[in-house]
Amino acid sequence: MGRLFDLSADFAELLDRFDEIEETEFPTNADGEPVDAEGNPINPEFVKAELRQAWFDTLDGMEQEFTCKAENLAQYIKSLKAEADAIDAEAKRLQQRAKSRKNRIAWMKQYLMQCMETMQLKKVDGVQARITLRSNAPAVKVTDELSLIQELERTGHADALKYQLPEIRKNQLKGYLKAGEVFQYAQLEPSKSIIIS
């Protein structure tokens, strides 16, 4: 039992062989009669019919083997997909749980900081935790993004801005291409996929 890929290659090779059967030319004897490899007279149509039958028998066997292997592979793909879906669902659940914990941490830290400021404490030395209230470096707070961008460009400080290339909306472009519009650097490209159910 070979691999499915090897079987597919053998299958393609077998399909090519059908043309060879049809195009087979037999050697002839001195009387001009078709003969086999041992020089015995033969009926070319009868020999070709036997070759065709052998070809169909081989094809049938290969199709059955291929179907069995393809089905086994499809079952394995389905089980891998189910496992991947379960992992994705669990990852999403864990991400939501982590986000909830991070939000709670942020709220509790803010609450603790407010309490320490109210009590005018800069440090709490406990047995299991040490808490220090520190002043961070100033952070930039932008109150009007669009106005600031215009101001930075006007005052020659555009180096504080990050410019991005436009993004191609492929669905919109696909509509243009389907409508017959031609673009030098884009075209519709056919593709195939496998559906396993």
Side-chain angles (χ1 to χ4, degrees):
M1 296 284 276
R3 294 181 308 155
L4 189 63
F5 179 81
D6 295 333
L7 192 57
S8 300
D10 292 343
F11 192 78
E13 189 180 324
L14 181 67
L15 292 176
D16 288 341
R17 258 190 252 144
F18 188 79
D19 289 338
E20 292 175 17
I21 292 170
E22 295 306 307
E23 294 166 7
T24 300
E25 291 185 11
F26 300 95
T28 55
N29 59 18
D31 297 329
E33 296 176 318
V35 293
D36 61 16
E38 285 81 35
N40 302 316
I42 56 165
N43 179 336
E45 286 310 309
F46 180 74
V47 174
K48 282 187 179 183
E50 285 184 332
L51 289 171
R52 279 189 215 106
Q53 187 58 52
W55 184 89
F56 280 114
D57 291 345
T58 305
L59 178 65
D60 187 49
M62 288 180 78
E63 281 179 342
Q64 288 176 14
E65 187 179 351
F66 182 87
T67 299
C68 179
K69 287 187 177 191
E71 190 174 3
N72 288 339
L73 185 57
Q75 283 296 108
Y76 183 59
I77 290 168
K78 282 170 74 172
S79 82
L80 285 178
K81 185 181 182 314
E83 188 179 346
D85 289 346
I87 291 168
D88 282 343
E90 181 66 8
K92 188 175 180 182
R93 189 184 70 76
L94 289 172
Q95 282 176 342
Q96 288 171 341
R97 202 168 156 197
K99 185 179 178 183
S100 171
R101 296 292 191 274
K102 287 174 183 176
N103 289 341
R104 194 181 304 174
I105 289 166
W107 182 87
M108 289 182 164
K109 284 172 86 174
Q110 186 66 30
Y111 174 75
L112 182 58
M113 186 172 70
Q114 287 172 352
C115 291
M116 286 180 68
E117 285 175 341
T118 302
M119 299 289 293
Q120 296 183 354
L121 293 172
K122 290 190 176 184
K123 191 187 281 188
V124 174
D125 281 321
V127 176
Q128 295 183 348
R130 194 169 132 195
I131 309 158
T132 305
L133 188 62
R134 86 170 172 203
S135 296
N136 295 327
V140 175
K141 181 180 179 182
V142 176
T143 54
D144 185 340
E145 200 169 287
L146 184 58
S147 296
L148 178 61
I149 289 169
Q150 292 170 347
E151 183 180 4
L152 289 169
E153 288 177 333
R154 189 176 63 252
T155 58
H157 295 93
D159 58 336
L161 298 172
K162 178 180 164 186
Y163 294 95
Q164 294 179 327
L165 284 172
E167 189 177 329
I168 296 168
R169 292 183 3 208
K170 289 191 176 177
N171 281 340
Q172 186 70 34
L173 181 60
K174 185 177 184 179
Y176 293 141
L177 290 165
K178 277 185 163 182
E181 292 199 45
V182 177
F183 299 93
Q184 185 176 355
Y185 301 106
Q187 61 274 332
L188 289 173
E189 186 175 72
S191 65
K192 292 182 181 178
S193 61
I194 282 187
I195 298 169
I196 296 171
S197 55

mmCIF file of all heavy atoms in Angstrom, residues 51-90:
data_model
loop_
_atom_site.group_PDB
_atom_site.id
_atom_site.type_symbol
_atom_site.label_atom_id
_atom_site.label_comp_id
_atom_site.label_asym_id
_atom_site.label_seq_id
_atom_site.Cartn_x
_atom_site.Cartn_y
_atom_site.Cartn_z
ATOM 1 N N LEU A 51 -5.576 -5.707 -23.878
ATOM 2 C CA LEU A 51 -4.811 -4.652 -23.191
ATOM 3 C C LEU A 51 -5.746 -3.629 -22.545
ATOM 4 O O LEU A 51 -5.517 -3.176 -21.420
ATOM 5 C CB LEU A 51 -3.860 -3.955 -24.167
ATOM 6 C CG LEU A 51 -2.655 -4.766 -24.652
ATOM 7 C CD1 LEU A 51 -1.923 -4.028 -25.771
ATOM 8 C CD2 LEU A 51 -1.707 -5.061 -23.495
ATOM 9 N N ARG A 52 -6.832 -3.270 -23.292
ATOM 10 C CA ARG A 52 -7.809 -2.320 -22.746
ATOM 11 C C ARG A 52 -8.468 -2.892 -21.494
ATOM 12 O O ARG A 52 -8.661 -2.201 -20.506
ATOM 13 C CB ARG A 52 -8.885 -2.007 -23.793
ATOM 14 C CG ARG A 52 -8.469 -0.976 -24.803
ATOM 15 C CD ARG A 52 -9.666 -0.556 -25.672
ATOM 16 N NE ARG A 52 -9.211 -0.288 -27.012
ATOM 17 C CZ ARG A 52 -9.401 -1.062 -28.066
ATOM 18 N NH1 ARG A 52 -10.070 -2.187 -27.947
ATOM 19 N NH2 ARG A 52 -8.923 -0.721 -29.238
ATOM 20 N N GLN A 53 -8.828 -4.189 -21.541
ATOM 21 C CA GLN A 53 -9.487 -4.825 -20.396
ATOM 22 C C GLN A 53 -8.556 -4.840 -19.180
ATOM 23 O O GLN A 53 -8.970 -4.537 -18.058
ATOM 24 C CB GLN A 53 -9.921 -6.258 -20.738
ATOM 25 C CG GLN A 53 -10.755 -6.921 -19.647
ATOM 26 C CD GLN A 53 -12.009 -6.141 -19.317
ATOM 27 O OE1 GLN A 53 -12.792 -5.804 -20.202
ATOM 28 N NE2 GLN A 53 -12.218 -5.846 -18.035
ATOM 29 N N ALA A 54 -7.282 -5.160 -19.416
ATOM 30 C CA ALA A 54 -6.300 -5.149 -18.327
ATOM 31 C C ALA A 54 -6.160 -3.732 -17.768
ATOM 32 O O ALA A 54 -6.047 -3.533 -16.553
ATOM 33 C CB ALA A 54 -4.955 -5.672 -18.832
ATOM 34 N N TRP A 55 -6.184 -2.756 -18.671
ATOM 35 C CA TRP A 55 -6.068 -1.348 -18.256
ATOM 36 C C TRP A 55 -7.255 -0.963 -17.369
ATOM 37 O O TRP A 55 -7.084 -0.367 -16.310
ATOM 38 C CB TRP A 55 -6.015 -0.456 -19.506
ATOM 39 C CG TRP A 55 -5.798 0.998 -19.213
ATOM 40 C CD1 TRP A 55 -4.608 1.640 -19.104
ATOM 41 C CD2 TRP A 55 -6.804 1.997 -19.007
ATOM 42 N NE1 TRP A 55 -4.790 2.972 -18.838
ATOM 43 C CE2 TRP A 55 -6.142 3.219 -18.762
ATOM 44 C CE3 TRP A 55 -8.187 1.983 -18.992
ATOM 45 C CZ2 TRP A 55 -6.822 4.416 -18.511
ATOM 46 C CZ3 TRP A 55 -8.876 3.163 -18.732
ATOM 47 C CH2 TRP A 55 -8.197 4.356 -18.501
ATOM 48 N N PHE A 56 -8.485 -1.326 -17.800
ATOM 49 C CA PHE A 56 -9.682 -1.009 -17.015
ATOM 50 C C PHE A 56 -9.670 -1.721 -15.661
ATOM 51 O O PHE A 56 -10.074 -1.151 -14.641
ATOM 52 C CB PHE A 56 -10.963 -1.353 -17.783
ATOM 53 C CG PHE A 56 -11.339 -0.308 -18.802
ATOM 54 C CD1 PHE A 56 -11.311 -0.593 -20.157
ATOM 55 C CD2 PHE A 56 -11.719 0.969 -18.407
ATOM 56 C CE1 PHE A 56 -11.646 0.369 -21.101
ATOM 57 C CE2 PHE A 56 -12.062 1.936 -19.340
ATOM 58 C CZ PHE A 56 -12.028 1.645 -20.698
ATOM 59 N N ASP A 57 -9.208 -2.968 -15.625
ATOM 60 C CA ASP A 57 -9.121 -3.709 -14.358
ATOM 61 C C ASP A 57 -8.154 -3.012 -13.401
ATOM 62 O O ASP A 57 -8.429 -2.875 -12.204
ATOM 63 C CB ASP A 57 -8.664 -5.155 -14.607
ATOM 64 C CG ASP A 57 -9.725 -5.992 -15.325
ATOM 65 O OD1 ASP A 57 -10.895 -5.546 -15.381
ATOM 66 O OD2 ASP A 57 -9.370 -7.069 -15.851
ATOM 67 N N THR A 58 -7.001 -2.586 -13.946
ATOM 68 C CA THR A 58 -6.007 -1.875 -13.115
ATOM 69 C C THR A 58 -6.587 -0.560 -12.616
ATOM 70 O O THR A 58 -6.441 -0.198 -11.445
ATOM 71 C CB THR A 58 -4.722 -1.594 -13.928
ATOM 72 O OG1 THR A 58 -4.236 -2.828 -14.454
ATOM 73 C CG2 THR A 58 -3.653 -0.956 -13.065
ATOM 74 N N LEU A 59 -7.273 0.165 -13.514
ATOM 75 C CA LEU A 59 -7.883 1.444 -13.146
ATOM 76 C C LEU A 59 -8.896 1.258 -12.025
ATOM 77 O O LEU A 59 -8.904 2.005 -11.045
ATOM 78 C CB LEU A 59 -8.559 2.064 -14.376
ATOM 79 C CG LEU A 59 -9.303 3.391 -14.144
ATOM 80 C CD1 LEU A 59 -8.329 4.490 -13.760
ATOM 81 C CD2 LEU A 59 -10.087 3.788 -15.380
ATOM 82 N N ASP A 60 -9.726 0.230 -12.152
ATOM 83 C CA ASP A 60 -10.748 -0.034 -11.144
ATOM 84 C C ASP A 60 -10.111 -0.314 -9.783
ATOM 85 O O ASP A 60 -10.538 0.213 -8.760
ATOM 86 C CB ASP A 60 -11.612 -1.226 -11.585
ATOM 87 C CG ASP A 60 -12.794 -1.428 -10.660
ATOM 88 O OD1 ASP A 60 -13.495 -0.448 -10.366
ATOM 89 O OD2 ASP A 60 -13.011 -2.581 -10.216
ATOM 90 N N GLY A 61 -9.062 -1.129 -9.778
ATOM 91 C CA GLY A 61 -8.358 -1.438 -8.526
ATOM 92 C C GLY A 61 -7.726 -0.189 -7.914
ATOM 93 O O GLY A 61 -7.796 0.030 -6.698
ATOM 94 N N MET A 62 -7.119 0.629 -8.776
ATOM 95 C CA MET A 62 -6.475 1.855 -8.274
ATOM 96 C C MET A 62 -7.510 2.834 -7.737
ATOM 97 O O MET A 62 -7.288 3.495 -6.723
ATOM 98 C CB MET A 62 -5.640 2.511 -9.379
ATOM 99 C CG MET A 62 -4.367 1.758 -9.703
ATOM 100 S SD MET A 62 -3.408 2.552 -11.005
ATOM 101 C CE MET A 62 -2.637 3.859 -10.100
ATOM 102 N N GLU A 63 -8.670 2.922 -8.430
ATOM 103 C CA GLU A 63 -9.722 3.834 -7.963
ATOM 104 C C GLU A 63 -10.225 3.415 -6.590
ATOM 105 O O GLU A 63 -10.442 4.242 -5.720
ATOM 106 C CB GLU A 63 -10.890 3.867 -8.960
ATOM 107 C CG GLU A 63 -10.617 4.741 -10.170
ATOM 108 C CD GLU A 63 -11.774 4.748 -11.168
ATOM 109 O OE1 GLU A 63 -12.629 3.838 -11.118
ATOM 110 O OE2 GLU A 63 -11.799 5.668 -12.001
ATOM 111 N N GLN A 64 -10.397 2.099 -6.403
ATOM 112 C CA GLN A 64 -10.867 1.603 -5.106
ATOM 113 C C GLN A 64 -9.840 1.897 -4.013
ATOM 114 O O GLN A 64 -10.191 2.347 -2.919
ATOM 115 C CB GLN A 64 -11.170 0.104 -5.187
ATOM 116 C CG GLN A 64 -12.430 -0.204 -5.985
ATOM 117 C CD GLN A 64 -12.657 -1.695 -6.135
ATOM 118 O OE1 GLN A 64 -12.045 -2.502 -5.456
ATOM 119 N NE2 GLN A 64 -13.555 -2.053 -7.046
ATOM 120 N N GLU A 65 -8.563 1.651 -4.316
ATOM 121 C CA GLU A 65 -7.504 1.914 -3.337
ATOM 122 C C GLU A 65 -7.407 3.409 -3.040
ATOM 123 O O GLU A 65 -7.287 3.821 -1.896
ATOM 124 C CB GLU A 65 -6.161 1.379 -3.863
ATOM 125 C CG GLU A 65 -5.048 1.455 -2.830
ATOM 126 C CD GLU A 65 -3.717 0.911 -3.342
ATOM 127 O OE1 GLU A 65 -3.684 0.319 -4.447
ATOM 128 O OE2 GLU A 65 -2.718 1.098 -2.636
ATOM 129 N N PHE A 66 -7.495 4.223 -4.105
ATOM 130 C CA PHE A 66 -7.417 5.672 -3.934
ATOM 131 C C PHE A 66 -8.594 6.175 -3.097
ATOM 132 O O PHE A 66 -8.430 6.967 -2.174
ATOM 133 C CB PHE A 66 -7.411 6.383 -5.291
ATOM 134 C CG PHE A 66 -7.281 7.874 -5.177
ATOM 135 C CD1 PHE A 66 -6.036 8.467 -5.117
ATOM 136 C CD2 PHE A 66 -8.413 8.684 -5.120
ATOM 137 C CE1 PHE A 66 -5.910 9.842 -4.992
ATOM 138 C CE2 PHE A 66 -8.299 10.055 -4.992
ATOM 139 C CZ PHE A 66 -7.045 10.638 -4.927
ATOM 140 N N THR A 67 -9.805 5.679 -3.411
ATOM 141 C CA THR A 67 -11.003 6.102 -2.674
ATOM 142 C C THR A 67 -10.860 5.789 -1.191
ATOM 143 O O THR A 67 -11.158 6.623 -0.333
ATOM 144 C CB THR A 67 -12.259 5.402 -3.250
ATOM 145 O OG1 THR A 67 -12.393 5.780 -4.623
ATOM 146 C CG2 THR A 67 -13.508 5.791 -2.494
ATOM 147 N N CYS A 68 -10.378 4.583 -0.897
ATOM 148 C CA CYS A 68 -10.199 4.169 0.499
ATOM 149 C C CYS A 68 -9.192 5.070 1.208
ATOM 150 O O CYS A 68 -9.442 5.577 2.304
ATOM 151 C CB CYS A 68 -9.754 2.709 0.544
ATOM 152 S SG CYS A 68 -9.478 2.090 2.213
ATOM 153 N N LYS A 69 -8.046 5.312 0.560
ATOM 154 C CA LYS A 69 -7.001 6.142 1.175
ATOM 155 C C LYS A 69 -7.449 7.594 1.300
ATOM 156 O O LYS A 69 -7.190 8.247 2.305
ATOM 157 C CB LYS A 69 -5.708 6.061 0.367
ATOM 158 C CG LYS A 69 -5.012 4.734 0.523
ATOM 159 C CD LYS A 69 -3.670 4.726 -0.129
ATOM 160 C CE LYS A 69 -2.978 3.398 0.126
ATOM 161 N NZ LYS A 69 -1.597 3.397 -0.259
ATOM 162 N N ALA A 70 -8.122 8.105 0.252
ATOM 163 C CA ALA A 70 -8.599 9.486 0.283
ATOM 164 C C ALA A 70 -9.615 9.673 1.402
ATOM 165 O O ALA A 70 -9.604 10.682 2.114
ATOM 166 C CB ALA A 70 -9.209 9.868 -1.065
ATOM 167 N N GLU A 71 -10.495 8.682 1.582
ATOM 168 C CA GLU A 71 -11.511 8.769 2.632
ATOM 169 C C GLU A 71 -10.854 8.739 4.018
ATOM 170 O O GLU A 71 -11.239 9.492 4.915
ATOM 171 C CB GLU A 71 -12.504 7.618 2.489
ATOM 172 C CG GLU A 71 -13.708 7.770 3.378
ATOM 173 C CD GLU A 71 -14.772 6.706 3.126
ATOM 174 O OE1 GLU A 71 -14.549 5.811 2.291
ATOM 175 O OE2 GLU A 71 -15.812 6.782 3.777
ATOM 176 N N ASN A 72 -9.848 7.871 4.177
ATOM 177 C CA ASN A 72 -9.130 7.826 5.461
ATOM 178 C C ASN A 72 -8.444 9.159 5.755
ATOM 179 O O ASN A 72 -8.470 9.653 6.880
ATOM 180 C CB ASN A 72 -8.086 6.700 5.454
ATOM 181 C CG ASN A 72 -8.727 5.330 5.532
ATOM 182 O OD1 ASN A 72 -9.871 5.188 5.965
ATOM 183 N ND2 ASN A 72 -8.013 4.313 5.099
ATOM 184 N N LEU A 73 -7.831 9.738 4.715
ATOM 185 C CA LEU A 73 -7.164 11.028 4.880
ATOM 186 C C LEU A 73 -8.188 12.118 5.215
ATOM 187 O O LEU A 73 -7.951 12.964 6.077
ATOM 188 C CB LEU A 73 -6.390 11.388 3.609
ATOM 189 C CG LEU A 73 -5.548 12.661 3.663
ATOM 190 C CD1 LEU A 73 -4.528 12.618 4.787
ATOM 191 C CD2 LEU A 73 -4.852 12.896 2.326
ATOM 192 N N ALA A 74 -9.353 12.087 4.544
ATOM 193 C CA ALA A 74 -10.407 13.074 4.813
ATOM 194 C C ALA A 74 -10.905 12.957 6.252
ATOM 195 O O ALA A 74 -11.139 13.977 6.921
ATOM 196 C CB ALA A 74 -11.565 12.884 3.835
ATOM 197 N N GLN A 75 -11.046 11.728 6.750
ATOM 198 C CA GLN A 75 -11.472 11.521 8.145
ATOM 199 C C GLN A 75 -10.451 12.119 9.108
ATOM 200 O O GLN A 75 -10.807 12.750 10.105
ATOM 201 C CB GLN A 75 -11.649 10.028 8.437
ATOM 202 C CG GLN A 75 -12.918 9.441 7.876
ATOM 203 C CD GLN A 75 -14.147 10.058 8.506
ATOM 204 O OE1 GLN A 75 -14.852 10.829 7.870
ATOM 205 N NE2 GLN A 75 -14.412 9.771 9.758
ATOM 206 N N TYR A 76 -9.168 11.922 8.793
ATOM 207 C CA TYR A 76 -8.107 12.472 9.643
ATOM 208 C C TYR A 76 -8.136 14.000 9.612
ATOM 209 O O TYR A 76 -7.994 14.658 10.639
ATOM 210 C CB TYR A 76 -6.749 11.938 9.177
ATOM 211 C CG TYR A 76 -5.589 12.384 10.031
ATOM 212 C CD1 TYR A 76 -5.546 12.096 11.390
ATOM 213 C CD2 TYR A 76 -4.532 13.107 9.481
ATOM 214 C CE1 TYR A 76 -4.485 12.518 12.179
ATOM 215 C CE2 TYR A 76 -3.471 13.516 10.266
ATOM 216 C CZ TYR A 76 -3.450 13.222 11.609
ATOM 217 O OH TYR A 76 -2.409 13.649 12.387
ATOM 218 N N ILE A 77 -8.356 14.568 8.412
ATOM 219 C CA ILE A 77 -8.459 16.030 8.279
ATOM 220 C C ILE A 77 -9.623 16.553 9.116
ATOM 221 O O ILE A 77 -9.507 17.569 9.807
ATOM 222 C CB ILE A 77 -8.611 16.438 6.792
ATOM 223 C CG1 ILE A 77 -7.301 16.190 6.034
ATOM 224 C CG2 ILE A 77 -9.022 17.904 6.654
ATOM 225 C CD1 ILE A 77 -7.422 16.287 4.517
ATOM 226 N N LYS A 78 -10.765 15.840 9.065
ATOM 227 C CA LYS A 78 -11.934 16.257 9.845
ATOM 228 C C LYS A 78 -11.629 16.242 11.344
ATOM 229 O O LYS A 78 -12.027 17.148 12.076
ATOM 230 C CB LYS A 78 -13.124 15.338 9.541
ATOM 231 C CG LYS A 78 -13.813 15.652 8.228
ATOM 232 C CD LYS A 78 -14.823 14.585 7.838
ATOM 233 C CE LYS A 78 -16.079 14.650 8.674
ATOM 234 N NZ LYS A 78 -17.125 13.723 8.151
ATOM 235 N N SER A 79 -10.924 15.211 11.802
ATOM 236 C CA SER A 79 -10.608 15.144 13.237
ATOM 237 C C SER A 79 -9.623 16.247 13.638
ATOM 238 O O SER A 79 -9.747 16.839 14.698
ATOM 239 C CB SER A 79 -10.079 13.759 13.623
ATOM 240 O OG SER A 79 -8.710 13.612 13.330
ATOM 241 N N LEU A 80 -8.649 16.543 12.740
ATOM 242 C CA LEU A 80 -7.714 17.640 13.019
ATOM 243 C C LEU A 80 -8.440 18.981 13.063
ATOM 244 O O LEU A 80 -8.154 19.839 13.905
ATOM 245 C CB LEU A 80 -6.611 17.697 11.954
ATOM 246 C CG LEU A 80 -5.517 16.636 12.024
ATOM 247 C CD1 LEU A 80 -4.535 16.819 10.872
ATOM 248 C CD2 LEU A 80 -4.780 16.688 13.350
ATOM 249 N N LYS A 81 -9.413 19.172 12.152
ATOM 250 C CA LYS A 81 -10.176 20.417 12.125
ATOM 251 C C LYS A 81 -10.988 20.573 13.401
ATOM 252 O O LYS A 81 -11.055 21.656 13.990
ATOM 253 C CB LYS A 81 -11.091 20.466 10.899
ATOM 254 C CG LYS A 81 -11.815 21.798 10.767
ATOM 255 C CD LYS A 81 -12.725 21.847 9.576
ATOM 256 C CE LYS A 81 -13.411 23.182 9.411
ATOM 257 N NZ LYS A 81 -13.989 23.750 10.616
ATOM 258 N N ALA A 82 -11.627 19.487 13.841
ATOM 259 C CA ALA A 82 -12.412 19.536 15.079
ATOM 260 C C ALA A 82 -11.515 19.895 16.263
ATOM 261 O O ALA A 82 -11.881 20.706 17.118
ATOM 262 C CB ALA A 82 -13.100 18.186 15.317
ATOM 263 N N GLU A 83 -10.312 19.308 16.271
ATOM 264 C CA GLU A 83 -9.352 19.612 17.351
ATOM 265 C C GLU A 83 -8.904 21.070 17.282
ATOM 266 O O GLU A 83 -8.839 21.755 18.301
ATOM 267 C CB GLU A 83 -8.150 18.672 17.230
ATOM 268 C CG GLU A 83 -7.193 18.754 18.398
ATOM 269 C CD GLU A 83 -6.015 17.794 18.255
ATOM 270 O OE1 GLU A 83 -6.062 16.887 17.398
ATOM 271 O OE2 GLU A 83 -5.043 17.962 19.009
ATOM 272 N N ALA A 84 -8.611 21.546 16.057
ATOM 273 C CA ALA A 84 -8.188 22.948 15.890
ATOM 274 C C ALA A 84 -9.296 23.907 16.307
ATOM 275 O O ALA A 84 -9.044 24.927 16.963
ATOM 276 C CB ALA A 84 -7.776 23.207 14.434
ATOM 277 N N ASP A 85 -10.561 23.578 15.947
ATOM 278 C CA ASP A 85 -11.700 24.421 16.333
ATOM 279 C C ASP A 85 -11.848 24.467 17.848
ATOM 280 O O ASP A 85 -12.123 25.525 18.425
ATOM 281 C CB ASP A 85 -13.000 23.904 15.693
ATOM 282 C CG ASP A 85 -13.050 24.136 14.183
ATOM 283 O OD1 ASP A 85 -12.217 24.927 13.673
ATOM 284 O OD2 ASP A 85 -13.908 23.522 13.515
ATOM 285 N N ALA A 86 -11.665 23.309 18.487
ATOM 286 C CA ALA A 86 -11.766 23.255 19.951
ATOM 287 C C ALA A 86 -10.652 24.086 20.601
ATOM 288 O O ALA A 86 -10.885 24.800 21.581
ATOM 289 C CB ALA A 86 -11.697 21.803 20.429
ATOM 290 N N ILE A 87 -9.438 24.004 20.037
ATOM 291 C CA ILE A 87 -8.310 24.787 20.567
ATOM 292 C C ILE A 87 -8.580 26.282 20.384
ATOM 293 O O ILE A 87 -8.342 27.082 21.286
ATOM 294 C CB ILE A 87 -6.992 24.366 19.886
ATOM 295 C CG1 ILE A 87 -6.593 22.954 20.318
ATOM 296 C CG2 ILE A 87 -5.872 25.355 20.192
ATOM 297 C CD1 ILE A 87 -5.473 22.330 19.511
ATOM 298 N N ASP A 88 -9.108 26.657 19.188
ATOM 299 C CA ASP A 88 -9.443 28.065 18.934
ATOM 300 C C ASP A 88 -10.483 28.566 19.928
ATOM 301 O O ASP A 88 -10.364 29.674 20.461
ATOM 302 C CB ASP A 88 -9.982 28.249 17.504
ATOM 303 C CG ASP A 88 -8.878 28.246 16.458
ATOM 304 O OD1 ASP A 88 -7.693 28.417 16.834
ATOM 305 O OD2 ASP A 88 -9.187 28.067 15.268
ATOM 306 N N ALA A 89 -11.514 27.754 20.166
ATOM 307 C CA ALA A 89 -12.573 28.146 21.105
ATOM 308 C C ALA A 89 -12.008 28.302 22.513
ATOM 309 O O ALA A 89 -12.333 29.257 23.225
ATOM 310 C CB ALA A 89 -13.700 27.108 21.090
ATOM 311 N N GLU A 90 -11.146 27.357 22.912
ATOM 312 C CA GLU A 90 -10.535 27.439 24.251
ATOM 313 C C GLU A 90 -9.610 28.644 24.345
ATOM 314 O O GLU A 90 -9.589 29.346 25.366
ATOM 315 C CB GLU A 90 -9.767 26.146 24.544
ATOM 316 C CG GLU A 90 -9.105 26.099 25.913
ATOM 317 C CD GLU A 90 -10.081 26.092 27.080
ATOM 318 O OE1 GLU A 90 -11.303 25.966 26.871
ATOM 319 O OE2 GLU A 90 -9.619 26.220 28.225
#
